[in-house]
Amino acid sequence: YVKKSIDLYADEPEYQSDSYIVVARIYIDIGQYEEAKKYLDLCHEKFPSDYRYQQYSVQLYAAQNQTAKAVEYGLELFAMAPTNPTVCQLIMKVCNYVNKEDVAIEFFKSAVKKYKKDNEAMANLYFHYAYEYSIMENYNQAKKMAGEARKYFEKSNSMTEEIDDLLKEIEEGN
């Protein structure tokens, strides 16, 4: 079925890419990590600009407790669009899906070191760092990261009313 799924879309690259990703995700879910890696790598060979290669590589390595590799792929993904909130959300989503919130935290620790001169990237990172701690119900750390996010949003003149409201919620421990 796997081969048929992929071959079915040989003339439609965007769908074939989806097939590789779906197959890899299924293999991750059932713990067949070598097969998952194989299909992620095949997808990356054929579709090198598909960001999902990095996204699901984070999940693959997080699921195997290979934090350093997961963080490495997270940093690759983040580098594609460091001011886009969706990137942080994708990393959090795949880490949380495999119950590896600690991997997301390690990603944020590494990323804030790497992007310390980019105020917009730092605002994005600290906002989601705070949110991840909030999900983990570690409200002290969430408040601390929210305070850092607030500083960077103000430095980059990118604070919106919506972001301010969300930061207040995190700071209040809600």
Side-chain angles (χ1 to χ4, degrees):
Y1 289 110
V2 169
K3 184 170 175 17
K4 192 173 189 171
S5 164
I6 292 167
D7 290 346
L8 182 67
Y9 296 112
D11 296 329
E12 300 176 73
E14 65 278 3
Y15 296 124
Q16 192 176 47
S17 177
D18 290 345
S19 293
Y20 281 111
I21 295 298
V22 167
V23 168
R25 291 179 67 191
I26 290 168
Y27 280 126
I28 293 169
D29 280 352
I30 63 174
Q32 292 188 16
Y33 302 124
E34 289 303 316
E35 287 296 306
K37 182 178 180 342
K38 175 178 137 183
Y39 284 97
L40 284 172
D41 289 345
L42 287 169
C43 182
H44 189 58
E45 286 173 25
K46 287 190 86 164
F47 310 100
S49 63
D50 190 330
Y51 69 91
R52 294 174 300 174
Y53 168 74
Q54 285 82 8
Q55 177 186 359
Y56 290 105
S57 291
V58 171
Q59 184 175 337
L60 171 67
Y61 290 108
Q64 297 177 83
N65 296 313
Q66 293 183 32
T67 302
K69 289 288 278 186
V71 168
E72 177 184 323
Y73 282 103
L75 291 170
E76 277 185 35
L77 179 58
F78 188 74
M80 293 178 187
T83 61
N84 186 337
T86 303
V87 177
C88 288
Q89 293 162 11
L90 292 173
I91 293 165
M92 291 168 61
K93 178 182 173 183
V94 296
C95 289
N96 295 348
Y97 182 78
V98 293
N99 299 311
K100 298 294 180 182
E101 294 82 1
D102 59 310
V103 174
I105 295 300
E106 289 304 316
F107 159 75
F108 288 118
K109 284 180 185 176
S110 294
V112 296
K113 289 176 188 170
K114 186 172 182 172
Y115 287 88
K116 60 185 167 200
K117 294 184 179 181
D118 183 337
N119 289 336
E120 287 184 58
M122 292 293 279
N124 184 23
L125 287 164
Y126 273 116
F127 178 85
H128 289 92
Y129 204 168
Y131 189 63
E132 184 67 27
Y133 272 127
S134 182
I135 290 169
M136 297 168 67
E137 297 181 357
N138 184 337
Y139 299 115
N140 287 334
Q141 284 298 105
K143 289 176 192 178
K144 181 179 173 185
M145 298 307 150
E148 290 297 314
R150 183 175 298 287
K151 283 190 248 180
Y152 283 102
F153 278 114
E154 290 168 358
K155 282 182 185 180
S156 64
N157 294 316
S158 56
M159 180 68 79
T160 65
E161 187 176 330
E162 180 182 47
I163 291 169
D164 187 47
D165 289 345
L166 289 169
L167 287 172
K168 285 177 185 170
E169 279 185 41
I170 292 170
E171 290 166 334
E172 293 168 6
N174 298 322

